[in-house]
Amino acid sequence: MAEEVRNASKTIPRIMLATMIFNGALGFVMLVTLCFCVGNLEAVLDTKTGYPFIQIFYNATPQGATTMVSIIVVCNEFAGVTAMATASRQLFSFARDQGVPFHTFFEQASLHFSEPSATSHACFLGPRGLGHPP
């Protein structure tokens, strides 16, 4: 996407730095909030769920813990899809520039979907072939 931005050599680093600062500040606020909500640390670490953050949510809001965990699960799913799409686009760009082995295979786009399905399949199935769970 950096190819589509005007003055990319200056704009992209500025945006990346702004994103790091903004997300770092939000992460720090989340960390401080979580630390204030921990309560009894031993009880949180010895939880029956096996996940201390779920116990922290349950201690803070017993009726809303399931909803809060569900929001985190959905956000993680979206992040996984986004990461796979990003990796697929990068593989396609490298293949288009003949920067990877088998570039002729990866640079082909599917006629049915009008997208490089070979790179999508490689990015989805590649880690599973190396032993990474789905």
Side-chain angles (χ1 to χ4, degrees):
M1 284 194 239
E3 299 168 345
E4 301 166 3
V5 175
R6 271 186 270 131
N7 200 7
S9 63
K10 292 188 184 226
T11 304
I12 298 299
R14 287 180 184 161
I15 295 297
M16 291 176 71
L17 185 62
T19 301
M20 286 176 28
I21 291 169
F22 183 72
N23 286 329
L26 287 178
F28 182 73
V29 169
M30 186 191 76
L31 180 67
V32 169
T33 305
L34 192 69
C35 288
F36 275 111
C37 294
V38 168
N40 185 1
L41 186 60
E42 281 76 25
V44 169
L45 293 176
D46 295 331
T47 180
K48 296 176 188 174
T49 65
Y51 298 99
F53 77 94
I54 295 175
Q55 187 64 42
I56 293 170
F57 289 165
Y58 183 76
N59 291 346
T61 59
Q63 289 82 18
T66 304
T67 304
M68 293 169 72
V69 172
S70 298
I71 291 170
I72 289 177
V73 169
V74 168
C75 287
N76 281 335
E77 288 296 321
F78 287 145
V81 169
T82 303
M84 193 193 81
T86 301
S88 174
R89 288 186 74 158
Q90 287 179 342
L91 180 59
F92 177 74
S93 296
F94 280 126
R96 182 188 59 206
D97 297 337
Q98 299 178 356
V100 292
F102 310 110
H103 61 86
T104 55
F105 175 71
F106 288 126
E107 69 185 357
Q108 295 176 3
S110 169
L111 296 175
H112 183 65
F113 295 111
S114 298
E115 60 96 17
S117 58
T119 58
S120 299
H121 291 125
C123 291
F124 181 75
L125 297 174
R128 276 117 190 109
L130 298 173
H132 188 276

